Amino acid sequence: MSIKVRYFASLKEMTGRAEDQLDFSKSVTVKEIWYQANKDKTLPDNILAAVNMEYVSFDHRVNDGDEVAFFPPVTGG
Amino acid sequence: MSIKVRYFASLKEMTGRAEDQLDFSKSVTVKEIWYQANKDKTLPDNILAAVNMEYVSFDHRVNDGDEVAFFPPVTGG
Amino acid sequence: MDIKILAESFDPWQEIKQYQNSAKKIKGKVGATSIFVGTMRDFNEGDIIKAMTLEHYPHMTEKQLANIIEEAMQKWQIIDALVVHRVGNIFPDDPIVLVAVWSSHRGDAFDSSRYIMEALKAKAPFWKKELLASDDERWVGKNSDGYESRSR
Amino acid sequence: MDIKILAESFDPWQEIKQYQNSAKKIKGKVGATSIFVGTMRDFNEGDIIKAMTLEHYPHMTEKQLANIIEEAMQKWQIIDALVVHRVGNIFPDDPIVLVAVWSSHRGDAFDSSRYIMEALKAKAPFWKKELLASDDERWVGKNSDGYESRSR
């Protein structure tokens, strides 16, 4: 199962990456993806997650080909 | 005591006049002014009154030189 | 702060640009501008409206609008405000009223512009007479609550 | 209905005029236009701000904004809506966001434009990084409630 992971704003700076391409042999949640991609980094408190550009909770299960994104609280407008 | 009375919108059409100039020998209220100026016409229910361009109640007492106005509900904007 | 009663058609966006360019205190501090523009519809209470005449009470209009803006400035943090209102003969799609409020924060801008607009509808001495498709004329009886459905 | 994400400076009044001229369904039926424009202030949380960089998540931004407008159209009677948002490098007094709603009635226009603006602040994936007078940079932590005083 192939998953694209994207990071925005302060999370891009924190992880040092704009995106990851990960492979999983079994079904995983958004939270498991974070820890797989960022082994040494605790999931920051106020972080938001989206799958295919819709907001999801961290126990949302992803499907093959999904795009997962992690980012801080939004500050537009 | 000299009082100018003005009528606007549908009230101007109903009274057939845009204004009256009235003289009173004693203190009067806005309501008394209406009946002095429009002897045959009952004060319509939803009419508003202003003295010197500020809203007043019908028992407001006027002073010499005041401008009294009668008009229907406002419909601007 | 400015209040304008106009007997000729106006372009609300041009009025805003012009005011913003002339009003120095707006620079740098404004984060939020809330604008309301009322335009003439070609329908009302189930009838087609061809034109309207807007009468007002000169000077009382300005006095009441100044009171209203003053009240809004006491309730909210406002940097500047502009109200423009048409009188005379008006046709569908013509702008009737413009309310503009400049503030540092959006909550203050939204709340105060709405307050000014609702107070204008309730207190500013303007009266509309409609010319129907039948060529009958009628005075608008009173302002509505501003929603499509009255069941709210 | 239109959603525009712009990397260059824009004139909100020009955007409105242009959209109104091109959108035929607005003609005759609109009685109320409610506009919100957010501009960059030269201050925030007690500091002088020289400039800002606005990052976004392309496509998710448009998707979320479309969802928000859709929700507003289900809640209120809206004839048309336009949302424009800047990204990239922004300086004080530059417009950041424009929300415009056209409706037959003022209540629907006011409520829906505010709903869209608050939802945009809460859900549209934009992030601001401020450049302070000291030349330090900082990410804006979260959007405020939009009022001068937080005691409300």
Side-chain angles (χ1 to χ4, degrees):
Chain A
M1 195 173 68
S2 173
I3 301 293
K4 184 181 189 177
V5 184
R6 303 182 67 176
Y7 307 99
F8 291 92
S10 56
L11 266 195
K12 185 164 59 185
E13 295 179 354
M14 186 187 121
T15 61
R17 306 183 305 280
E19 60 180 79
D20 288 320
Q21 193 70 48
L22 299 179
D23 283 295
F24 297 93
S25 54
K26 64 176 185 64
S27 167
V28 283
T29 66
V30 167
K31 189 180 203 168
E32 288 164 345
I33 290 170
W34 171 271
Y35 283 108
Q36 183 69 29
N38 301 281
K39 291 185 170 65
D40 50 340
K41 294 194 177 65
T42 310
L43 188 58
D45 255 3
N46 55 1
I47 251 56
L48 301 170
V51 169
N52 300 333
M53 305 185 183
E54 298 286 356
Y55 288 97
V56 295
S57 65
F58 285 90
D59 52 13
H60 178 92
R61 289 197 171 270
V62 300
N63 295 311
D64 185 40
D66 279 354
E67 175 171 306
V68 179
F70 295 104
F71 46 79
V74 301
T75 56
Chain B
M1 194 172 71
S2 173
I3 301 292
K4 185 180 188 176
V5 183
R6 303 182 67 176
Y7 307 98
F8 290 92
S10 56
L11 267 197
K12 184 163 61 184
E13 295 180 353
M14 185 188 124
T15 61
R17 306 184 305 280
E19 60 180 79
D20 289 319
Q21 192 70 47
L22 299 179
D23 283 294
F24 296 94
S25 52
K26 62 174 186 65
S27 168
V28 284
T29 66
V30 166
K31 190 180 204 169
E32 288 164 345
I33 290 170
W34 171 271
Y35 283 108
Q36 182 68 28
N38 301 281
K39 292 184 170 61
D40 51 339
K41 294 191 178 70
T42 310
L43 188 60
D45 256 4
N46 54 1
I47 250 58
L48 301 170
V51 169
N52 300 333
M53 306 186 181
E54 298 287 356
Y55 288 98
V56 295
S57 67
F58 285 89
D59 52 13
H60 178 92
R61 290 196 170 270
V62 300
N63 295 311
D64 185 40
D66 279 356
E67 175 170 306
V68 179
F70 295 103
F71 46 79
V74 302
T75 56
Chain C
M1 200 264 278
D2 200 10
I3 294 164
K4 292 166 82 170
I5 310 299
L6 302 178
E8 301 293 331
S9 192
F10 72 99
D11 176 340
W13 322 117
Q14 195 53 40
E15 291 285 336
I16 296 165
K17 280 180 85 156
Q18 206 174 303
Y19 190 75
Q20 285 194 158
N21 289 338
S22 69
K24 287 216 178 54
K25 62 180 168 175
I26 289 176
K27 298 285 169 216
K29 303 307 165 207
V30 168
T33 306
S34 177
I35 308 283
F36 180 83
V37 177
T39 45
M40 191 190 148
R41 296 187 310 250
D42 61 10
F43 68 95
N44 194 27
E45 310 211 343
D47 297 300
I48 296 169
I49 313 295
K50 294 201 296 191
M52 257 178 14
T53 308
L54 247 161
E55 184 180 331
H56 78 130
Y57 183 173
H59 305 301
M60 179 164 172
T61 316
E62 290 85 341
K63 197 170 181 178
Q64 291 297 318
L65 291 173
N67 289 351
I68 290 166
I69 294 174
E70 182 66 27
E71 286 161 18
M73 288 188 161
Q74 278 163 18
K75 287 174 192 277
W76 293 279
Q77 295 287 333
I78 297 176
I79 294 170
D80 212 337
L82 169 68
V83 174
V84 181
H85 203 293
R86 267 301 303 280
V87 292
N89 297 321
I90 293 170
F91 300 93
D93 289 326
D94 279 354
I96 296 172
V97 61
L98 161 65
V99 171
V101 177
W102 290 269
S103 176
S104 290
H105 302 281
R106 74 186 184 282
D108 294 299
F110 269 118
D111 289 352
S112 60
S113 65
R114 180 152 201 181
Y115 176 85
I116 291 170
M117 193 57 210
E118 297 297 334
L120 180 156
K121 284 259 177 193
K123 292 185 196 163
F126 295 101
W127 301 277
K128 287 178 183 142
K129 190 182 218 175
E130 296 173 332
L131 177 65
L132 307 186
S134 61
D135 279 333
D136 286 343
E137 289 188 322
R138 75 174 173 207
W139 290 100
V140 176
K142 63 183 181 68
N143 276 329
S144 77
D145 70 355
Y147 289 92
E148 179 79 20
S149 157
R150 303 300 171 80
S151 60
R152 275 159 184 271
Chain D
M1 201 264 279
D2 201 11
I3 294 164
K4 292 167 81 170
I5 310 298
L6 302 179
E8 301 293 330
S9 192
F10 71 101
D11 176 340
W13 323 117
Q14 196 53 40
E15 290 286 336
I16 296 165
K17 280 179 84 154
Q18 206 175 303
Y19 190 76
Q20 285 195 157
N21 290 338
S22 69
K24 286 216 178 53
K25 62 180 166 173
I26 289 176
K27 298 284 168 219
K29 303 305 166 209
V30 167
T33 306
S34 178
I35 309 284
F36 181 82
V37 177
T39 44
M40 190 190 150
R41 296 187 309 250
D42 61 11
F43 68 95
N44 194 26
E45 309 209 343
D47 296 301
I48 295 169
I49 313 296
K50 294 202 296 190
M52 257 178 17
T53 309
L54 247 159
E55 183 179 333
H56 77 132
Y57 183 172
H59 306 300
M60 179 165 173
T61 315
E62 290 86 341
K63 197 170 183 180
Q64 290 298 318
L65 290 174
N67 289 351
I68 290 166
I69 294 173
E70 183 64 29
E71 287 161 16
M73 288 187 161
Q74 278 163 18
K75 287 174 193 274
W76 293 279
Q77 295 289 331
I78 296 175
I79 294 169
D80 213 337
L82 169 68
V83 175
V84 181
H85 204 293
R86 269 298 306 278
V87 292
N89 297 322
I90 294 170
F91 300 93
D93 290 324
D94 278 354
I96 296 171
V97 61
L98 162 65
V99 171
V101 177
W102 290 269
S103 175
S104 290
H105 303 280
R106 72 185 186 283
D108 295 299
F110 269 119
D111 289 353
S112 60
S113 65
R114 180 152 199 179
Y115 176 85
I116 291 169
M117 192 58 212
E118 297 297 334
L120 180 156
K121 284 258 175 193
K123 293 184 195 164
F126 295 100
W127 301 275
K128 288 178 182 143
K129 190 183 217 176
E130 297 172 331
L131 178 64
L132 307 187
S134 61
D135 280 334
D136 285 344
E137 289 189 322
R138 73 174 174 208
W139 289 100
V140 176
K142 64 184 180 68
N143 275 329
S144 77
D145 69 357
Y147 289 93
E148 178 80 20
S149 157
R150 303 301 172 78
S151 59
R152 278 161 182 270

